[in-house]
Amino acid sequence: MEAKTLFDKIWDAHVVKQVEGGPNVLYIDRHFIHEVTSPVAFLGLKNRGLKVFRPAQTTATPDHNVPTENQHLSIVDEMSRNQVEMLRRNCEEHGITHYGLGNDGHGVVHIIGPEQGLTQPGMTIVCGDSHTSTHGAFGAVAFGIGTSEVEMVLASQCIMQPKPKKMLITVNGELKPNVTAKDIVLYIIAKISTSGGTGHFIEFAGTAFEQLTMEGRMTVCNMSIECGARGGLIAPDEKTIEYVKGRQFAPKGEDWDKAVAYWKTLKTDEGAEFDMAYNFDAADIEPMITYGTNPGMGIKISENIPTSEGLVGNDKVSFLKSLEYMGFNEGEAIAGKPIDYVFLGSCTNGRIEDFRTFANYVKGKKKADNVVAWLVPGSVAVEKQIREEGLVEILEAAGFELRQPGCSACLAMNPDKVPAGKYAVSTTNRNFEGRQGPGARTLLASPLVAAACAITGKVTNPSDL
Amino acid sequence: MIDKFIKIQSSAVPMPIENVDTDQIIPARFLKAVERKGFGDNLFRDWRYTSGNTPNPEFVMNKPEFSGSILVGGKNFGSGSSREHAAWAIYDAGFKVVVSSFFADIFKGNALNNGLLPVQVSPEFLDEIFATISKDSKSTFTVDLEKQIFTNDATGNSFEFEINAYKKVCLLNGYDDIDYLVAMKEQIAEFETK
Ligand code: SF4
């Protein structure tokens, strides 16, 4: 039998048809939708007179637009309210499960999927959102799609996709103290650039990923697309199975045993070939931060911002434009730079483990006066757990308060916007110009680094304290 | 249904910036519409307008000498989010073709699904296009989808670009994937029982 990669096994099992000279018709097991990228798809269905083909396989939640305060009140922004309302109506009309505001299942779409057990190994999972790659942490083929494709899934439970190429990224060795999943992935993107993964699906392998919790693996897969890849995945193991077990939509009884037996076959065969492979040493990684306007512009906090030396033409222009936007100079140290905002949250780092890390660090300390901090749980379930574990008291004693779940300042579609020119250390995934508000300057980092910065009011390496 | 792609000849709007991401193409705060209308007005919003909402005279789309239905971008065009609004905004603003030496995957797919043709050329050819436009902003380029050839009319040099054969047929005929999939429902239902 031909040796196959994990990705091949899942992909090939979902091909309904190979179109001649064209893409695969790929069957989708699980579809998530949110309020921003779905309305036009539903409109398209209506215009064609179609019904949703398999409503039970789609799950909805509004997350991008929602305020993170006073969620029991009506949303103030009219257009946001309209989108959120539209999602509810579309779901009602088509019989789709909808976790609306105020519902226990509500949260950022990529956080609630795994929480509810909707995300399982071996599945194909799509959503009109690029960070759908998060679900790859379970050994699923999960990727973001456009609105036309959302319409395809609603209409037929399939999309048309050429099969991507395969990339293997291996990280072996011992991680240094204070190095987290976020640092690993920022390090990888800095090494291979924001376009290094284009056209590929990445499998992450090696002891560094094996040691991570499921939360950490989700952080890594979440950001796999920031190097241009379609998605990333990690082979399921005992931790994966343990995480899924007993969750609301996890298989039960005999079905569970069957599922587990299948999941155990989901690994890359010996000798299977990848189109591209990278190998990194875990011991090289340190706490990371970005200094520029794409996620590939990351450095160790202990390093200086690079210089434009050796860059020519458009590369140089783009680099300098980026530094100008950020208000940084070439070659200077990033550590010690004053900051104004800290954002903990998003589908990258809005899970319970992230809040534990943050709380654990700030315990017994005080937030710097010059810092405004937004702590936004990824879901209602995360928020509940934060309260149950007594983390709120720790956070409040240190001068922080907890907000309500949503995407929030990750893309600033709701009122949580970082003002122009201000610096935000953010646990999110994108530092593009204006991502956190027009003119906002974003420095991506781990929850641990964000905590250290929130306490000192400047860019701080947690290992230095 | 999407519009059929017919061979075009046009001048081009140059944007020699790398990693133009979807947040620049259409900032998130403009994604609140529930219909597919009016996104062109907010294309490159934060570059095109000053913070006081007046057109930024420095931005290429506001310079009278540049016009046309071809947008030429730097390397890694369209990186970032899966928002199809990025492709809608470019199309809605009157562009039919985007040229770059490298496209982000999701953007490319979204563009193709909306009748916007992404043409990937070599870095050298891209440099030549930029040079031609900066010499004379009225220089024209010809895009022949049938033959898969992009020609710099000023120099006569051309580049044979790639496109998936299925997508090419769709674009030339204005077909879309949804029609195709809906026609396959029985086969899909049968696949589900396996
Ligand atoms: S948290 Fe940010 S990246 Fe995640 S789904 Fe929301 S907007 Fe997208």
Side-chain angles (χ1 to χ4, degrees):
Chain A
M1 219 173 60
E2 184 202 352
K4 283 186 162 193
T5 68
L6 166 62
F7 173 76
D8 290 323
K9 289 182 185 176
I10 302 171
W11 183 280
D12 296 351
H14 288 82
V15 175
V16 180
K17 182 182 174 181
Q18 162 80 54
V19 181
E20 217 173 306
N24 294 159
V25 174
L26 188 73
Y27 189 80
I28 301 303
D29 295 317
R30 197 70 80 201
H31 182 210
F32 294 104
I33 57 174
H34 62 82
E35 79 278 22
V36 178
T37 55
S38 66
V40 173
F42 281 108
L43 205 63
L45 276 194
K46 195 167 162 193
N47 291 340
R48 291 171 201 257
L50 295 172
K51 289 229 148 332
V52 174
F53 185 55
R54 296 290 181 248
Q57 281 163 259
T58 294
T59 306
T61 195
D63 52 4
H64 284 60
N65 264 299
V66 300
T68 53
E69 289 178 308
N70 294 321
Q71 288 186 349
H72 59 291
L73 302 177
S74 168
I75 300 176
V76 180
D77 182 284
E78 195 189 319
M79 290 183 87
S80 295
R81 189 173 65 238
N82 190 25
Q83 268 193 340
V84 169
E85 217 2 63
M86 185 76 100
L87 181 68
R88 188 184 59 75
R89 278 209 305 273
N90 281 329
C91 290
E92 246 169 41
E93 187 183 328
H94 292 277
I96 292 169
T97 305
H98 172 248
Y99 295 107
L101 280 182
N103 188 298
D104 275 354
H106 175 253
V108 177
V109 64
H110 309 308
I111 301 225
I112 66 164
E115 264 171 13
Q116 312 252 1
L118 287 163
T119 301
Q120 296 165 21
M123 284 183 160
T124 45
I125 302 176
V126 296
C127 171
D129 187 285
S130 48
H131 293 98
T132 310
S133 58
T134 313
H135 308 264
F138 291 79
V141 167
F143 53 92
I145 56 177
T147 298
S148 300
E149 290 162 319
V150 172
E151 191 180 334
M152 291 175 211
V153 181
L154 291 174
S156 69
Q157 207 57 38
C158 289
I159 53 171
M160 313 212 33
Q161 285 280 314
K163 188 175 176 182
K165 290 191 236 167
K166 293 156 289 180
M167 178 183 285
L168 177 66
I169 296 185
T170 317
V171 184
N172 280 312
E174 273 302 309
L175 287 173
K176 289 195 179 124
N178 299 326
V179 173
T180 66
K182 183 65 163 284
D183 302 300
I184 302 176
V185 71
L186 283 174
Y187 176 88
I188 292 171
I189 303 165
K191 287 282 178 196
I192 74 173
S193 91
T194 52
S195 58
T198 305
H200 292 78
F201 224 93
I202 302 174
E203 179 175 345
F204 297 100
T207 53
F209 304 109
E210 286 162 19
Q211 284 160 23
L212 291 179
T213 58
M214 288 313 293
E215 281 87 354
R217 293 179 193 179
M218 284 189 250
T219 301
V220 170
C221 291
N222 172 280
M223 287 198 73
S224 59
I225 56 147
E226 302 304 339
C227 58
R230 287 298 272 139
L233 78 177
I234 295 174
D237 60 8
E238 286 304 323
K239 273 186 204 169
T240 320
I241 295 168
E242 207 37 54
Y243 184 101
V244 177
K245 195 174 180 179
R247 292 187 186 257
Q248 191 182 350
F249 293 96
K252 307 268 150 54
E254 238 175 76
D255 288 345
W256 171 258
D257 298 333
K258 256 207 265 168
V260 170
Y262 171 57
W263 296 346
K264 290 194 167 161
T265 67
L266 294 175
K267 45 170 135 335
T268 292
D269 297 331
E270 191 98 28
E273 283 186 24
F274 288 86
D275 299 281
M276 186 97 127
Y278 289 97
N279 209 328
F280 300 109
D281 183 354
D284 273 348
I285 309 174
E286 285 182 25
M288 300 283 294
I289 198 155
T290 63
Y291 62 90
T293 54
N294 73 55
M297 300 175 86
I299 49 174
K300 297 172 182 171
I301 302 179
S302 63
E303 289 175 336
N304 289 355
I305 294 169
T307 66
S308 60
E309 212 183 288
L311 296 177
V312 288
N314 286 339
D315 285 331
K316 185 166 179 173
V317 174
S318 303
F319 176 81
L320 294 175
K321 181 173 176 289
S322 181
L323 283 194
E324 192 193 315
Y325 180 87
M326 292 302 291
F328 291 152
N329 298 312
E330 325 180 24
E332 66 180 347
I334 189 103
K337 286 275 178 198
I339 60 149
D340 310 293
Y341 283 74
V342 164
F343 176 59
L344 173 66
S346 86
C347 58
T348 313
N349 283 123
R351 283 170 285 268
I352 185 66
E353 180 179 276
D354 304 312
F355 281 82
R356 285 188 196 130
T357 304
F358 193 97
N360 188 32
Y361 184 87
V362 301
K363 188 173 185 172
K365 304 187 177 82
K366 279 277 176 233
K367 178 180 80 65
D369 289 334
N370 62 317
V371 169
V372 175
W374 290 328
L375 274 45
V376 180
S379 68
V380 174
V382 171
E383 184 186 346
K384 273 199 177 144
Q385 203 170 342
I386 291 172
R387 294 188 191 282
E388 275 166 24
E389 293 184 10
L391 302 181
V392 179
E393 288 73 24
I394 297 174
L395 293 169
E396 283 177 356
F400 296 91
E401 55 180 312
L402 199 62
R403 298 171 81 91
Q404 290 178 294
C407 294
S408 179
C410 177
L411 89 167
M413 270 186 89
N414 78 344
D416 307 341
K417 292 179 176 55
V418 175
K422 297 288 182 194
Y423 291 95
V425 173
S426 180
T427 65
T428 53
N429 42 54
R430 288 193 176 134
N431 50 354
F432 297 153
E433 284 185 28
R435 171 81 177 181
Q436 298 195 287
R441 293 159 161 167
T442 302
L443 293 88
L444 302 175
S446 73
L448 181 63
V449 170
C453 297
I455 296 300
T456 60
K458 44 193 191 209
V459 173
T460 303
N461 186 345
S463 300
D464 285 348
L465 295 176
Chain B
M1 279 294 270
I2 52 176
D3 293 337
K4 290 184 187 181
F5 189 98
I6 320 247
K7 179 171 167 176
I8 63 167
Q9 181 176 39
S10 168
S11 54
V13 177
M15 199 171 288
I17 302 169
E18 293 181 359
N19 303 311
V20 171
D21 59 71
T22 47
D23 279 74
Q24 302 326 314
I25 298 174
I26 180 98
R29 60 188 190 284
F30 298 112
L31 307 184
K32 295 185 183 181
V34 292
E35 287 176 288
R36 204 198 133 164
K37 273 191 200 137
F39 288 105
D41 295 340
N42 295 315
L43 173 66
F44 296 116
R45 181 77 202 192
D46 293 340
W47 287 346
R48 207 161 139 198
Y49 295 90
T50 64
S51 47
N53 258 338
T54 52
N56 170 9
E58 293 302 308
F59 187 63
V60 61
M61 285 176 72
N62 295 325
K63 294 187 182 172
E65 64 266 38
F66 297 111
S67 64
S69 55
I70 301 173
L71 177 65
V72 190
K75 182 172 76 185
N76 199 23
F77 189 92
S79 59
S81 97
S82 60
R83 62 186 70 155
E84 198 156 317
H85 311 69
W88 298 341
I90 296 174
Y91 192 81
D92 197 42
F95 295 106
K96 296 271 183 288
V97 176
V98 192
V99 183
S100 175
S101 57
F102 200 92
F103 288 97
D105 278 335
I106 305 188
F107 175 80
K108 196 187 214 169
N110 284 341
L112 287 166
N113 280 336
N114 288 278
L116 178 68
L117 177 67
V119 172
Q120 185 164 335
V121 298
S122 68
E124 298 73 34
F125 198 81
L126 188 70
D127 287 343
E128 187 197 291
I129 297 173
F130 283 132
T132 302
I133 303 173
S134 72
K135 227 188 253 160
D136 176 6
S137 61
K138 295 283 167 260
S139 311
T140 61
F141 302 88
T142 304
V143 189
D144 186 336
L145 175 57
E146 181 78 61
K147 297 206 177 84
Q148 298 179 220
I149 288 177
F150 182 96
T151 309
N152 181 341
D153 300 334
T155 60
N157 290 337
S158 59
F159 192 91
E160 204 173 314
F161 61 89
E162 281 179 31
I163 180 170
N164 178 292
Y166 165 82
K167 278 289 168 198
K168 178 173 165 181
V169 173
C170 288
L171 275 179
L172 287 171
N173 297 292
Y175 295 158
D176 78 16
D177 290 348
I178 300 175
D179 302 329
Y180 186 95
L181 289 172
V182 169
M184 266 186 72
K185 269 189 190 165
E186 269 175 40
Q187 207 179 329
I188 295 168
E190 196 194 302
F191 176 86
E192 285 176 324
T193 61
K194 274 194 226 161

